[in-house]
Amino acid sequence: MPNFPSPTLVWVHGDSLSPTNPALLTYPDAPAVWDEELLNQWQISRKRIVFIYECLLELPVEIRRGNVMEKLTQLMQEYGAQKLVTTQSPSPRFQHICQELSRQFTLEILAIPPLIPPQKYLDLKRFSRYWKVAEKHIYPH
Amino acid sequence: MQREFASREDLIAYVTQVFPGAKGAVSETVGGRRAALHKLAQLQPHAYGDTRNYLDGAVTHLSPYLRHGVLTLAEVRDYLQSQGYPWSVVEPFLRQLAWRDYWQKLYEQWGEGIWQDREPYKTGFTAADYGEELPADITNGTTGLLCMDSFSQELQTTGYLHNHVRLWLAAYIIHWRRVKWQTGAAWFLMHLLDGDPASNNLSWQWVASTFSVKPYYFNQENLARYTQQKWCMSCPHLAKTCPFLGSYEQLHKRLFPHAEFPQSHSRLGTRR
């Protein structure tokens, strides 16, 4: 742990375990913490934990475990951080945690580069309808 | 938590100690960006398109890395482009990347709703007709059906199943054993290294028919073909007592006697 206060803390969660994750790219010197909840949520087996751990070991992060809200709040105080940065995830649990966190801190959620550009309207009723639009944008042809 | 380990064995011992609740085998699949990029460099889009439905086909094994964002979908697409592959070659693979994007978009909209039946079953049964418990012979791999027992073992030891195997095993659990898809989906999430709630649950719903116009099912001919008869040849059930024996019409009558949905002969292997 560095002995100087860092103004920004990066939170790395299980949907974005890449060293090129935009939060780590934007704030390369910030300490980071990992969301352990995804391990506990569905009785995740040992092989999944080992795989995720191996992903983490290639990231410049400090690994913490426990209740995500509590740990993040504690870390923000420890580091004297004013701002928390993370990357987007569709997980409802993630959304909930972000809502709570944004009451206490400045929270920045960075986007992951999308597979297809954002559309004004996208019909998701069945894959075939989505694909009709997606195939036009997904690859040059 | 600890960051320095002398070996993979050391890491495994540490994980075992600090996560005592996590049980079972450890996969040979190694996590991390380096492993992911190595797998990406081995991608053969020509062969993928031709053979992906076969168990020994040129599938990519990228899914655990995509699931945890070690690689993004856009990165994989950009890599294909940088290699100069034309659309006709990469289209089958891109379609699979698009499936993941599609499931994630639905997850954004539905949240925990991905655990609920999106539509009624089209099997002629209601949700109440399906059991809550996963039969022990399935998790123990003692059904006596060589294919299903082997799939169950593989899931629990390697954390990986070929996509076609996922469909067969899910169809067996839902339609032959009449178990709720949610039960099977939760079991998969425990074990699959690529276990993603959206891709996993919505694919189970697709097999169940709660997110499609008809149930997915298969017959022995289909399984034998795409497995090169790996299990059928030595299975004692092959000729007479195999529950998958028969034409699609016969299986329809046996599995879904009260259901009406169009027969499809184009489902031999090609998913959706």
Side-chain angles (χ1 to χ4, degrees):
Chain A
M1 190 187 300
N3 56 6
F4 52 87
S6 164
T8 302
L9 190 77
V10 175
W11 168 30
V12 178
H13 58 70
D15 287 349
S16 208
L17 299 179
S18 167
T20 63
N21 134 7
L24 289 174
L25 284 183
T26 316
Y27 301 95
D29 298 325
V33 67
W34 168 56
D35 173 359
E36 190 216 345
E37 293 296 327
L38 72 109
L39 298 182
N40 302 327
Q41 209 168 358
W42 292 304
Q43 299 174 273
I44 297 292
S45 63
R46 194 162 65 128
K47 55 188 163 306
R48 290 202 67 180
I49 297 181
V50 169
F51 179 86
I52 292 164
Y53 214 115
E54 284 171 333
C55 295
L56 282 169
L57 290 178
E58 289 187 12
L59 305 184
V61 300
E62 183 187 320
I63 307 169
R64 296 270 180 124
R65 63 181 295 198
N67 177 292
V68 178
M69 274 296 299
E70 280 172 25
K71 288 286 161 187
L72 283 174
T73 308
Q74 190 188 328
L75 274 162
M76 291 294 284
Q77 285 161 1
E78 260 177 51
Y79 284 99
Q82 305 298 311
K83 183 171 156 187
L84 184 65
V85 181
T86 190
T87 44
Q88 71 184 102
S89 160
S91 147
R93 180 179 183 81
F94 172 81
Q95 316 277 352
H96 174 72
I97 293 172
C98 285
Q99 241 174 28
E100 294 293 313
L101 287 170
S102 63
R103 287 193 196 141
Q104 301 178 54
F105 314 108
T106 308
L107 178 67
E108 188 181 3
I109 304 174
L110 298 174
I112 300 291
L115 184 64
I116 59 166
Q119 305 292 312
K120 258 190 197 149
Y121 173 74
L122 195 54
D123 187 351
L124 298 175
K125 171 83 178 148
R126 294 284 188 239
F127 177 78
S128 52
R129 300 191 193 180
Y130 157 87
W131 180 246
K132 239 179 216 170
V133 178
E135 70 175 340
K136 289 185 202 142
H137 301 283
I138 198 168
Y139 202 79
H141 63 291
Chain B
M1 296 182 77
Q2 193 173 327
R3 283 203 53 108
E4 301 297 328
F5 298 95
S7 63
R8 191 166 199 238
E9 286 66 39
D10 267 12
L11 165 65
I12 293 166
Y14 175 73
V15 165
T16 307
Q17 188 200 333
V18 296
F19 297 104
K23 302 272 191 270
V26 172
S27 176
E28 285 176 11
T29 303
V30 176
R33 176 85 172 173
R34 257 176 300 172
L37 292 175
H38 182 68
K39 287 231 160 67
L40 184 61
Q42 291 175 322
L43 182 70
Q44 305 170 55
H46 288 93
Y48 178 87
D50 294 337
T51 65
R52 70 181 189 88
N53 286 315
Y54 290 87
L55 256 58
D56 59 354
V59 294
T60 66
H61 296 279
L62 286 172
S63 56
Y65 306 97
L66 292 169
R67 185 265 173 260
H68 286 295
V70 182
L71 280 176
T72 65
L73 296 173
E75 267 182 314
V76 175
R77 184 263 322 277
D78 294 347
Y79 168 80
L80 293 171
Q81 209 173 324
S82 74
Q83 300 296 301
Y85 292 116
W87 166 252
S88 60
V89 168
V90 295
E91 197 251 334
F93 181 65
L94 287 172
R95 195 183 271 263
Q96 297 309 308
L97 292 185
W99 269 105
R100 179 172 160 84
D101 188 47
Y102 175 65
W103 297 137
Q104 295 293 301
K105 284 183 160 55
L106 287 175
Y107 195 20
E108 253 167 56
Q109 283 188 9
W110 293 341
E112 297 295 349
I114 59 165
W115 284 99
Q116 283 145 25
D117 297 348
R118 300 310 311 177
E119 299 161 17
Y121 282 84
K122 285 86 177 179
T123 53
F125 300 107
T126 67
D129 295 319
Y130 294 82
E132 301 275 354
E133 300 289 321
L134 195 58
D137 63 346
I138 294 178
T139 48
N140 294 337
T142 54
T143 65
L145 305 167
L146 291 194
C147 54
M148 294 302 151
D149 290 346
S150 166
F151 300 159
S152 167
Q153 283 277 330
E154 195 183 343
L155 169 68
Q156 296 178 74
T157 52
T158 69
Y160 173 79
L161 288 177
H162 185 283
N163 183 52
H164 219 150
V165 169
R166 297 179 195 208
L167 298 181
W168 292 326
L169 186 52
Y172 172 65
I173 290 172
I174 302 167
H175 303 312
W176 273 268
R177 303 298 297 267
R178 211 166 296 155
V179 171
K180 280 196 164 72
W181 68 261
Q182 285 92 338
T183 302
W187 182 48
F188 270 27
L189 281 177
M190 280 170 74
H191 294 290
L192 288 173
L193 297 188
D194 62 23
D196 174 274
S199 303
N200 179 65
N201 289 18
L202 295 170
S203 295
W204 273 85
Q205 298 225 40
W206 183 83
V207 171
S209 74
T210 56
F211 189 46
S212 65
V213 293
K214 60 192 171 196
Y216 169 86
Y217 60 108
F218 63 95
N219 63 8
Q220 188 194 75
E221 187 192 345
N222 172 264
L223 190 144
R225 180 176 163 207
Y226 288 98
T227 57
Q228 321 277 17
Q229 310 216 20
K230 187 172 169 187
W231 292 281
C232 297
M233 289 310 279
S234 45
C235 185
H237 293 282
L238 174 70
K240 283 189 178 155
T241 50
C242 172
F244 315 125
L245 201 59
S247 67
Y248 281 101
E249 288 77 3
Q250 288 167 327
L251 285 171
H252 182 154
K253 279 188 197 135
R254 209 185 305 156
L255 294 171
F256 316 112
H258 319 299
E260 280 182 24
F261 51 80
Q263 289 292 330
S264 164
H265 298 282
S266 62
R267 62 193 316 148
L268 284 174
T270 46
R271 185 184 182 185
R272 297 168 265 212

